[in-house]
Amino acid sequence: MRNLLLFFILIASIFSVNAQEEAWFYLRARDTSFSPSFEKKGDYLIYTGQDPKLSAGLQNYTIKAFKKTQKNAIRENLNKTFFVIADKKSLLHDLLINMADIFESGEIISKEDRKIFEPNDYGLTSTIGDSKGFKVSLDYLDFLELPKAWYYTTGDRNTFVGISDGIIDTTNAEFKGKITVLKKSYDVKGHGSSVASIAVGQGDNSYGVPGVCYDCSIYATTYGSSKALSIFTELADAGAKVINCSWLSSFSSPKIQEGINELLKQGTVIVASAGNKPWSVTFGQKSYYPASYDHVISVSSGMFKYDSIEDNIIQLDSGEYYAENIRGHVGRTVGFEGNDLKGKAKIWPISITTLNKDVDLLAPSVGIVQLAKTLRTNKISNIPFEATSPSAPLVSGTIGLMFSLYPCLPADEVESILKMTAMNIDDIEVNKPYAGMYGAGILNSGRAVEMVFDMFAQKGSVKIENQRFSRWDFKLTSISEVVMRNQKFTEDSSLKLTSKKRIVISENTILKPNSNGKIHLKIDPSLKKECELQLRDPNILND
């Protein structure tokens, strides 16, 4: 009997060990020179450094990852932040308590935040991925939560993104084998290659940097306002689900507008750069095309990098202070009244790209890697100033991911999803003079793709939250339950929301448009999925 009892205790302990979930955490060293050495044995790491104290501290743990990363690191911690995967979360506590002379802080990564995927060319911000491509920070992709989007899909070769731009280098590893040129374009100093690399440059190929929808395919053609409709029609007829236009003109035509309306009905979404003319020139009164056509998603530039103004204050030789690239701002630079750091902060209008009532979304531009210039100069080149040509392909690539995940996604619901999941920047004080001119906020690719998953996975709820819409027509059809929380649809906004299960109107939600708007909520038990989710890993449905 005693032996039988011992047997059951042994089995129980084995199951307990196997069931224990590995821990992910960030760990910050006190010194930037700290760089522990490990040797990989199978799936695990063995410490091979010369510090006996650290060796003793690690010996009771199984380590899967222990690497420097720039993810989740503010400026002063850039070269001393580590990403760690271990068999027990108690390792973090042990290192901070017993090796306080080496480590100063750290935090556990939640289970929800571990739903990510990174390719092997994810640069210096990689954690579970690698940095076999360009050694460069991809913090702008982290800001967009691309690793969350890639958890569900990295794109699909059957999903085509149309690029209407300059010549794309079809021999480059970012495009080779996945691009079809429909019409030869012009050589504009690599503009076409740089734009295409942002949207659909190949990822996980140990080269360069990954594009947003890096496993998507490309249809490439030329550009131009006078032939816009024939360009769009050619790409759509070939099978492009989304068309990127990082070009603009003052020319517009009712015929082109009619054609765009028809293309959306047929299932093709068009995205365009809003323009680079600054607010100090346009004052929100200038429209450019194709961005300002109805049913074209107009994209301008927004900032992403630093959490607050205080995190990046710079002083010019003249003595003037300013801050740059502050998260959520509609302009790149911010000055201070009376040059007093305690004075009122105001965005410098010259650092704001084109804003107007037609803009739908903002997306990063400052700091994005310029592929063509990097290859031409053999030196990493990042975009130093605000621009909208690089912002639009971030949106186009995100739409490519959405269609890759659920190929039957209605094209007329894409813009609604992007706006519902955007970062709300209305309450940022320096943005208030530009209210109504910057769209729904800043793109969040991870949340947009996750919403598509939630709509059709029938595992949880679709969340519409934290936005205040006073215009636009929204449409969403979900197989899953929909929950609205801290959400407003007022004034001229309309919402047509259909769910197979139920719609929950939760706290702080106001649905009160005026006579120009409309709210239509419907439960339809007969709703069925038109196709299946195309997941990067089918096991995701079991998470």
Side-chain angles (χ1 to χ4, degrees), residues 245-466:
C245 306
S246 288
W247 53 268
L248 55 84
S249 168
S250 297
F251 171 80
S252 65
S253 158
K255 184 178 180 181
I256 295 175
Q257 180 64 77
E258 292 170 7
I260 289 169
N261 297 345
E262 189 59 34
L263 291 177
L264 181 64
K265 291 177 184 177
Q266 294 173 11
T268 298
V269 180
I270 300 173
V271 178
S273 301
N276 294 338
K277 283 288 179 70
W279 182 271
S280 54
V281 173
T282 69
F283 298 100
Q285 300 303 307
K286 181 66 176 175
S287 295
Y288 294 103
Y289 298 87
S292 284
Y293 284 119
D294 291 341
H295 301 140
V296 171
I297 299 176
S298 175
V299 186
S300 199
S301 176
M303 303 302 125
F304 73 93
K305 194 173 181 73
Y306 296 97
D307 287 337
S308 69
I309 289 173
E310 293 73 24
D311 289 337
N312 194 37
I313 292 176
I314 303 164
Q315 188 176 23
L316 296 171
D317 292 340
S318 64
E320 187 172 14
Y321 290 103
Y322 74 99
E324 183 174 21
N325 201 354
I326 309 304
R327 183 169 301 166
H329 286 194
V330 300
R332 179 175 56 86
T333 50
V334 178
F336 305 91
E337 280 191 354
N339 200 33
D340 181 355
L341 293 178
K342 295 182 180 179
K344 185 177 181 180
K346 290 185 177 180
I347 294 175
W348 289 350
I350 199 169
S351 74
I352 303 172
T353 52
T354 301
L355 298 181
N356 53 48
K357 62 181 177 54
D358 302 316
V359 168
D360 296 296
L361 288 169
L362 307 183
S365 62
V366 179
I368 290 180
V369 175
Q370 295 175 292
L371 177 67
K373 189 173 180 180
T374 295
L375 297 177
R376 189 169 63 248
T377 62
N378 200 31
K379 180 182 178 181
I380 297 295
S381 176
N382 302 89
I383 296 171
F385 303 111
E386 62 283 353
T388 60
S389 281
S391 301
L394 291 172
V395 176
S396 298
T398 299
I399 295 171
L401 290 176
M402 293 162 68
F403 279 122
S404 295
L405 179 60
Y406 190 68
C408 302
L409 183 67
D412 62 352
E413 298 189 12
V414 167
E415 186 174 337
S416 293
I417 293 169
L418 291 171
K419 287 178 173 175
M420 288 174 175
T421 56
M423 174 186 176
N424 186 338
I425 59 174
D426 294 340
D427 292 329
I428 298 175
E429 194 64 31
V430 295
N431 290 341
K432 290 182 179 179
Y434 312 99
M437 299 287 175
Y438 53 72
I442 304 182
L443 172 72
N444 188 299
S445 305
R447 289 204 294 257
V449 173
E450 187 172 61
M451 177 176 275
V452 175
F453 173 80
D454 290 340
M455 287 166 62
F456 301 103
Q458 302 184 75
K459 286 176 57 66
S461 301
V462 175
K463 298 178 181 63
I464 302 174
E465 57 188 359
N466 303 324

Side-chain angles (χ1 to χ4, degrees), residues 159-227:
T159 301
F160 283 84
V161 176
I163 303 292
S164 169
D165 210 292
I167 287 175
I168 300 172
D169 182 2
T170 59
T171 66
N172 187 273
E174 299 287 53
F175 314 116
K176 193 173 183 179
K178 58 185 281 180
I179 182 170
T180 301
V181 177
L182 301 181
K183 192 175 268 97
K184 187 176 179 180
S185 190
Y186 314 100
D187 184 1
V188 282
K189 297 183 179 179
H191 191 275
S193 291
S194 291
V195 165
S197 71
I198 295 167
V200 283
Q202 187 58 48
D204 212 30
N205 62 345
S206 303
Y207 173 81
V209 298
V212 174
C213 192
Y214 66 74
D215 277 327
C216 281
S217 297
I218 307 167
Y219 281 132
T221 189
T222 188
Y223 64 96
S225 58
S226 62
K227 48 194 171 187

